[in-house]
Amino acid sequence: MTAPPSADDGSPEATRLRPRGSSQGGLRQYNERVVLQAIRNHGPMPGAELARLTRLTPQTISLITKRLLDDGLLLRGALLRGKVGQPSVPLALNPDGAFSIGIKLGRRSLDMLLVDFTGAVRARRSLSYDYPRPEAVFSEIAARLAEFHALLGAAEQERLQGIGIAAPLSLGGWQALLGVEADRAAAWNRTDVRARVAALSTLPVSFVKDTAAACVAELVAGRGRSVRSFVYIFVDTFVGGGLVIDSHLRGGLNGNAGAIGSLALHRALPGDTAPPPQLLSVASLIMLERRFEQAGLDPAAVSDRRALQVPWQPITQAWLEEAAPAIVLAIHDAACLLDLEGVIIDGSFSRELLEALLEAVSAARSRYSWEGVECPQLLPGTTGSDARALGGALLPLHANFAPDRDLFLKLDKGAG
């Protein structure tokens, strides 16, 4: 991991990533979170580096890190020698300091992760299906929650922070495109996913749109730490996305900001008998699955390296040639509205297919006019298929340990 920028470093990277605290009284919890976030972003570092990075006084850093060590949230590393001055001891996040559970409830699979304080996955469980049935899914979730608890000791169970659920906002939607019976799809329209999971556990439960959760994973643990404003595109059964502006995930009025899968592919024309198709009808993996099925090939190849091997490769290439320009149209529209710094693309497929998709999208950019607008940089995502469940698991950790500006303002007002 690269060394953190110094306090005098005026580079854009340093400006984006440097968390700043305050040495004023009444801000103890906020400053503790600033220190934890600095170590999470930049890796283990001694107190002097923390003071320079956060602009807190050495005395404040000393008090904060002692409390965090006593609370089991930090660990002391090996003594560093060979530099000018006194030897120093780096401080790191304690993996056992806290735990969280992430649940991705999707149209084709259920994924559950047990995650430690560093964001590392301690346990992973998955269940595949053609389309989920509520009772079967919640029975599986109950069993896996009990299993995760059993994997932790009594002391570790006390450090479980919560459960984060990532699921489509319209799990019962697009049933005709999925080929699912109306009554099976309608069952999800009557189901409160968060409430059903909350009934299975005493832990706090949060809910977020699945692609927004994937965006959270990229924002907190991936490229989002160095890209300030971006649209996130996640290619799964249906393509979807998330929106980050000024390093904050934006949900919008209904929590659906960044829903690029619903973008129209062209304007409606007089005499049209149907609305224009949406992006998800072209750039989703379900469309590639169907092409494989029609050719008598295993559709599960969409998620592994076979997608770019014979006999699947020619079919995948044809899908890329249709999906890439459609994705660029969405990027073009978003860039015009938001003046983005970047676009991050990821998906529940192999890294080889991600690279092929990025190449196809990059090539398709020249087919559009960018006059009057800047084309954002294209970047690959870093988390892949785990992104949604990992993003769900990060929500409780972020809520309890990351700097919270609302908390800062509330404490500041009370201190006055």
Side-chain angles (χ1 to χ4, degrees), residues 1-7 9 14 38 42-46 49-50 53:
M1 185 167 294
T2 57
S6 68
D9 186 351
H42 298 282
M45 68 183 76
E49 291 291 338
L50 275 170
L53 187 66

Side-chain angles (χ1 to χ4, degrees), residues 129-332:
Y129 38 68
D130 290 332
Y131 187 77
R133 294 182 182 275
E135 296 311 315
V137 164
F138 293 117
S139 176
E140 180 72 12
I141 290 174
R144 298 292 77 79
L145 288 176
E147 183 180 355
F148 285 173
H149 275 80
L151 291 173
L152 300 173
E156 293 172 324
Q157 289 183 30
E158 292 295 321
R159 292 179 174 269
L160 269 171
Q161 302 300 307
I163 300 171
I165 307 169
L169 293 183
S170 301
L171 192 55
W174 292 283
Q175 55 93 15
L177 184 59
L178 286 166
V180 176
E181 299 90 342
D183 59 334
R184 289 184 63 188
W188 285 106
N189 296 330
R190 301 188 298 268
T191 300
D192 185 331
V193 174
R194 195 207 68 81
R196 290 291 300 270
V197 174
L200 303 174
S201 175
T202 59
L203 294 171
V205 178
S206 53
F207 179 95
V208 69
K209 182 180 69 169
D210 57 343
T211 50
C215 189
V216 166
E218 198 65 48
L219 174 63
V220 174
R223 296 187 184 278
R225 291 181 294 181
S226 59
V227 182
R228 190 173 179 85
S229 296
F230 61 90
V231 159
Y232 179 79
I233 298 175
F234 193 84
V235 183
D236 192 38
T237 303
F238 287 159
V239 64
L243 175 63
V244 170
I245 300 294
D246 295 331
S247 298
H248 286 78
L249 180 70
R250 304 299 180 181
L253 179 63
N254 300 302
N256 211 24
I260 65 163
S262 295
L263 285 172
L265 289 179
H266 59 74
R267 63 190 177 95
L269 298 173
D272 284 352
T273 58
Q278 296 178 323
L279 176 64
L280 60 80
S281 69
V282 173
S284 299
L285 287 185
I286 190 173
M287 311 312 295
L288 183 54
E289 284 184 26
R290 289 181 177 172
R291 293 185 183 210
F292 288 165
E293 288 176 336
Q294 290 167 2
L297 300 173
D298 183 0
V302 297
S303 61
D304 58 49
R305 293 182 176 181
R306 290 178 295 167
L308 291 174
Q309 297 173 358
V310 176
W312 291 270
Q313 193 276 336
I315 300 172
T316 301
Q317 186 60 41
W319 174 77
L320 287 170
E321 290 172 1
E322 292 187 14
I327 289 173
V328 174
L329 176 60
I331 293 172
H332 185 279

